[in-house]
Amino acid sequence: MYINFDHQTLQNVRCHLLTTPCSIFVEILKKHPMVSKYAPAVSNIVCIDLLNASWEDIQNYCLISNAANGLQMYLKHLHQTLHTNIKDRFQPHLVYVENDFIIGSSRYSSDLTEFVLGGVEILPDSSVNKIDKSIFTEIERELFSNNELRFNNSLYRKFNNHFSGLIQSHKYVTNFMDAHVEVSNGFKLKFEVFCAKFNLSITFLSCQNEPQTQDFVLHKIYFKNKLPIVIVFQNPEGLEFMGWNKHFLLALHAIRPVDTRFLDRKATVNALLDKINAAGIESLNDRELGFLDSLSN
C-alpha cells in the first residue's frame, strides 16, 4: 500500500527529517498523517539530552548554538540536579529550547501527556491594559471563514502592523508564539464543535484530572509559523484552560536530541571570533576564553 503526499507535505517531511530519526518520524507519520504539517513549527527547536550528554559537551554546544547560547547556567543546574539523584522521576532528561527560550522538558519514558511545557509564561502578554484588541474582529472573521485554521500572510501583516509598537518595544514578546487572536462572542465555539470543525485534537498538560470539556468555549488561539499551537478555553465560571495541539506535541516528541559529542570546532571558533569582532575580547566569558586557549596548546 502506498501513501500519496502533496508537494508541500513532502517538503515538510524533508524539513523534519533533518532533526528526527527516520524510523521514529515515519512511525508517527503512519499513525498521525497530520503531523507532517507541523514540521515547520518545530524546525528550529533543539532537544538537549541531559541524561546521556556530559556537561562539558553541552557547554561546548551552547558556545555555538543560537538556540541555547544564553541558557548555560540554567542547563548546568538541570544537569547537576539530575545527575545528583539520577533516580528522581521528577527531573527531566530532555530539554526543548529555541532562540534562548525554554519551551519545556520531558523524560525518556514519558508519553505526550507527561510533557512539562511552559504555561501562560510562554505566551505573549495579552493583558487588557497593554493591548488594543480591535483588530481581532477583523482577524477572526477571515480566520474562521476557512476550513483550515491557519494564520496566513495576510493576517500576519494585519497583526504585525497593528501591534508593531508593542512588538518592537518587546512588550509583546514573540520568542515562541508569534501571533494570537482573542475571539468575540460570535466565535466562542463549544470545545467539541471547534475540534470537529478544524480536525484538531487538544491535550491538556499538567492536569491531575482530565478537564470536563463539555462546557468549554473557545477564548484564545496562539500561533507559531502560521499553525495553531496553544488553544485557551473558558469554562462557565470564566476559568481558563490551556490546551496544546496534539499534532504539535507529536512533532515535538519526534525531535532527536542533538549529538553534542560531535561539534564543529571550526564553527565554534568562527562564532567566538564573530563575538569578539562585535563586542571585543572582553565580551568572552572564562569558558569561551578557555576554549580558545586550548586550541593553541
Side-chain angles (χ1 to χ4, degrees):
M1 176 181 175
Y2 294 91
I3 303 174
N4 292 320
F5 297 115
D6 59 29
H7 176 73
Q8 184 58 52
T9 297
L10 290 174
Q11 287 294 99
N12 291 341
V13 170
R14 185 177 295 110
C15 171
H16 199 83
L17 286 177
L18 294 175
T19 56
T20 306
C22 183
S23 60
I24 295 176
F25 185 66
V26 169
E27 191 61 33
I28 290 176
L29 187 59
K30 286 179 180 177
K31 295 180 180 178
H32 308 278
M34 281 284 291
V35 172
S36 65
K37 294 186 177 182
Y38 286 80
V42 300
S43 61
N44 293 322
I45 296 175
V46 172
C47 177
I48 296 177
D49 187 344
L50 299 174
L51 181 64
N52 296 303
S54 70
W55 169 242
E56 181 179 19
D57 287 340
I58 294 174
Q59 195 170 35
N60 284 338
Y61 175 75
C62 288
L63 291 178
I64 64 169
S65 170
N66 291 329
N69 187 265
L71 300 173
Q72 292 187 47
M73 295 303 295
Y74 180 72
L75 293 173
K76 182 178 182 180
H77 168 73
L78 291 181
H79 190 272
Q80 287 180 339
T81 303
L82 172 63
H83 288 272
T84 298
N85 186 2
I86 204 72
K87 295 182 179 180
D88 185 348
R89 64 186 183 89
F90 294 106
Q91 298 304 322
H93 295 160
L94 304 169
V95 177
Y96 300 87
V97 301
E98 180 179 10
N99 297 325
D100 279 343
F101 189 78
I102 299 285
I103 297 169
S105 61
S106 68
R107 291 175 63 84
Y108 270 113
S109 59
S110 63
D111 60 23
L112 292 184
T113 61
E114 296 175 291
F115 264 114
V116 180
L117 300 184
V120 294
E121 70 275 4
I122 74 169
L123 302 178
D125 187 354
S126 57
S127 55
V128 175
N129 62 333
K130 289 186 178 180
I131 240 178
D132 172 11
K133 302 181 180 181
S134 60
I135 191 65
F136 290 150
T137 302
E138 182 179 352
I139 288 177
E140 67 181 1
R141 190 181 302 116
E142 181 175 343
L143 188 64
F144 284 86
S145 65
N146 303 316
N147 291 326
E148 185 178 22
L149 192 62
R150 193 175 182 87
F151 215 84
N152 60 34
N153 292 334
S154 170
L155 293 177
Y156 270 115
R157 281 193 294 271
K158 293 175 182 178
F159 185 89
N160 291 332
N161 287 337
H162 186 81
F163 296 119
S164 60
L166 291 175
I167 294 172
Q168 291 170 10
S169 63
H170 303 292
K171 293 180 179 178
Y172 187 96
V173 180
T174 56
N175 289 17
F176 185 39
M177 306 297 174
D178 50 33
H180 87 282
V181 61
E182 183 170 338
V183 300
S184 60
N185 288 333
F187 293 94
K188 286 187 177 293
L189 303 179
K190 287 277 193 177
F191 178 87
E192 292 79 5
V193 174
F194 171 76
C195 292
K197 177 178 174 61
F198 296 109
N199 191 27
L200 292 177
S201 179
I202 308 299
T203 300
F204 295 93
L205 302 176
S206 304
C207 291
Q208 292 183 345
N209 301 305
E210 188 69 21
Q212 301 300 308
T213 60
Q214 64 269 18
D215 294 323
F216 281 9
V217 294
L218 182 63
H219 182 43
K220 298 176 185 176
I221 308 171
Y222 289 84
F223 294 84
K224 175 178 172 61
N225 292 80
K226 302 181 180 181
L227 298 164
I229 306 300
V230 169
I231 298 91
V232 179
F233 297 91
Q234 283 184 322
N235 68 4
E237 289 73 40
L239 296 177
E240 297 184 358
F241 294 80
M242 180 175 163
W244 289 83
N245 186 330
K246 186 177 179 180
H247 295 128
F248 170 77
L249 295 182
L250 287 164
L252 189 66
H253 187 62
I255 296 176
R256 175 176 56 186
V258 63
D259 194 338
T260 56
R261 296 172 299 168
F262 302 102
L263 296 175
D264 187 340
R265 293 171 70 86
K266 182 178 179 181
T268 306
V269 171
N270 287 338
L272 295 180
L273 291 179
D274 287 342
K275 188 173 181 180
I276 293 172
N277 186 55
I281 195 167
E282 62 274 7
S283 64
L284 300 186
N285 58 37
D286 291 342
R287 177 65 187 174
E288 292 166 332
L289 289 170
F291 177 82
L292 292 179
D293 286 340
S294 70
L295 299 179
S296 61
N297 295 333

